[in-house]
């Protein structure tokens, strides 16, 4: 019998929970680790959309990237998603920064999609393992690469275009600008991430390093299919599905 703990132990093998950042909350977050697993839904976030889809699909385990519970809660009332999944007999595992850092995880998938070769980790004081990656791309202009990123990730990019020729590119899915300075030291000509603040864009412009903001959702969501495929290969007797999740924002205007 495959139970919640069996699935969690496998996830712990490919993305060890003990590698999570100090502020993270990965692992079994809701449910009974001894409960039998019959059908599993995989998604980036547990939103109302993914939860309703999971209920309709009849899943009894959901695996997310972003944890539903980050900090201590004083209550779990009827409108809380943790209450709702428990009420519907659904268990929850989240694998956040361990999957960001893992080989074959979020940032390795991003490198593969963007044609980044010979990738190596960028050291991070917050986590035991490097999260961001840096590697080689075929020589091209910053504009060419920005269009390529948008096409491969199916998104619209915000770009700090410094007009430089790109040979080495760093990536960190999600809100990953923390590793920008170290990436510059390692020779990055461009940095791809999922969120940029105004002062971060100003810093990149001053440094002459092209930065591409391809969206938090779009830089991380592709890896959820990779995770689903890994799980399917390990647990042939369990059904796995990708739950419906729409990007939380759209782009209107110019």
């Amino acid at each position: 019998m495959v139970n919640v703990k069996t699935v969690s132990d496998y996830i712990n093998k490919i993305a060890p929970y003990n590698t999570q950042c100090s502020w993270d909350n990965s692992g079994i977050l809701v449910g009974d680790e001894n409960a039998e697993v019959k059908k599993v839904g995989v998604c980036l976030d547990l939103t109302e959309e993914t939860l309703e889809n999971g209920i309709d699909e009849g899943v009894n385990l959901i695996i997310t990237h972003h944890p539903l519970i980050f900090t201590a809660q004083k209550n779990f009332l009827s409108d809380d998603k943790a209450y709702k999944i428990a009420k519907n007999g659904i268990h929850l595992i989240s694998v956040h920064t361990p999957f960001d850092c893992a080989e074959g995880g979020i940032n390795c998938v991003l490198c593969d999609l963007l044609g980044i070769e010979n990738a190596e980790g960028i050291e991070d004081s917050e986590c035991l393992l490097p999260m961001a990656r840096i590697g080689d791309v075929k020589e091209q202009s910053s504009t060419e690469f920005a269009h390529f990123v948008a096409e491969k990730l199916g998104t619209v990019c915000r770009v700090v275009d410094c007009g430089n020729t790109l040979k080495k590119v760093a990536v960190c899915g999600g809100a990953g600008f923390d590793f920008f300075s170290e990436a510059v030291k390692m020779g990055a000509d461009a940095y791809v991430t999922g969120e940029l603040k105004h002062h971060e864009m100003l810093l990149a412009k001053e440094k002459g390093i092209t930065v591409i903001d391809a969206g938090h959702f779009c830089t991380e969501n592709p890896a959820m299919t990779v995770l689903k495929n890994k799980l399917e290969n390990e647990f042939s007797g369990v059904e796995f599905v990708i739950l419906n999740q729409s990007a939380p924002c759209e782009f209107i205007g110019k």
Side-chain angles (χ1 to χ4, degrees):
M1 180 187 79
V2 177
N3 60 24
V4 174
K5 185 177 185 303
T6 309
V7 177
S8 181
D9 285 347
Y10 173 71
I11 292 172
N12 187 44
K13 180 181 176 182
I14 63 172
Y17 297 137
N18 65 3
T19 64
Q20 66 184 299
C21 295
S22 57
W23 43 264
D24 197 12
N25 188 31
S26 293
I28 302 172
L29 302 190
V30 178
D32 177 3
E33 67 176 17
N34 297 311
E36 182 178 3
V37 173
K38 298 177 180 178
K39 188 173 183 179
V40 181
V42 180
C43 54
L44 191 69
D45 303 279
L46 187 69
T47 64
E48 291 293 344
E49 178 187 13
T50 57
L51 176 55
E52 289 304 315
N53 186 217
I55 293 171
D56 290 343
E57 286 279 354
V59 306
N60 72 324
L61 172 63
I62 293 177
I63 300 171
T64 68
H65 180 51
H66 296 127
L68 175 63
I69 304 167
F70 255 121
T71 56
Q73 289 187 227
K74 293 185 177 181
N75 54 44
F76 287 89
L77 303 181
S78 60
D79 61 347
D80 190 285
K81 287 192 285 292
Y83 177 94
K84 290 179 182 179
I85 60 175
K87 181 180 178 181
N88 283 277
I90 300 174
H91 314 273
L92 177 69
I93 297 172
S94 295
V95 55
H96 188 206
T97 53
F99 196 50
D100 284 321
C101 299
E103 289 299 320
I106 293 286
N107 291 299
C108 289
V109 171
L110 198 51
C111 284
D112 290 343
L113 286 171
L114 301 184
I116 297 171
E117 300 179 339
N118 305 315
E120 59 180 310
I122 297 174
E123 292 301 322
D124 169 23
S125 60
E126 289 287 333
C127 299
L128 293 178
L129 296 176
M131 184 179 297
R133 300 287 194 273
I134 185 170
D136 304 319
V137 296
K138 68 175 184 179
E139 186 171 330
Q140 59 194 290
S141 72
S142 53
T143 302
E144 287 173 328
F145 188 66
H147 281 291
F148 176 71
V149 171
E151 178 186 352
K152 296 299 289 185
L153 300 183
T155 187
V156 175
C157 296
R158 294 194 304 161
V159 183
V160 178
D161 187 355
C162 292
N164 49 334
T165 299
L166 309 186
K167 296 181 181 178
K168 190 175 286 288
V169 173
V171 300
C172 188
F177 194 78
D178 290 350
F179 316 109
F180 172 78
S181 294
E182 190 61 32
V184 173
K185 291 178 185 177
M186 295 176 70
D189 302 307
Y191 193 88
V192 180
T193 188
E195 291 184 23
L196 282 177
K197 297 178 181 178
H198 180 68
H199 71 273
E200 293 169 341
M201 291 187 281
L202 290 176
L203 175 61
K205 196 73 172 180
E206 290 172 0
K207 296 285 187 183
I209 306 297
T210 291
V211 176
I212 299 170
D213 177 351
H216 199 128
F217 178 83
C218 292
T219 53
E220 294 189 326
N221 195 53
M224 304 319 294
T225 298
V226 173
L227 177 59
K228 168 186 168 286
N229 293 340
K230 289 177 182 286
L231 290 160
E232 277 182 331
N233 290 334
E234 180 69 16
F235 302 105
S236 58
V238 178
E239 184 179 357
F240 292 86
V241 295
I242 293 290
L243 298 180
N244 296 336
Q245 183 176 353
S246 305
C249 69
E250 57 184 298
F251 297 88
I252 299 174
K254 184 176 179 181

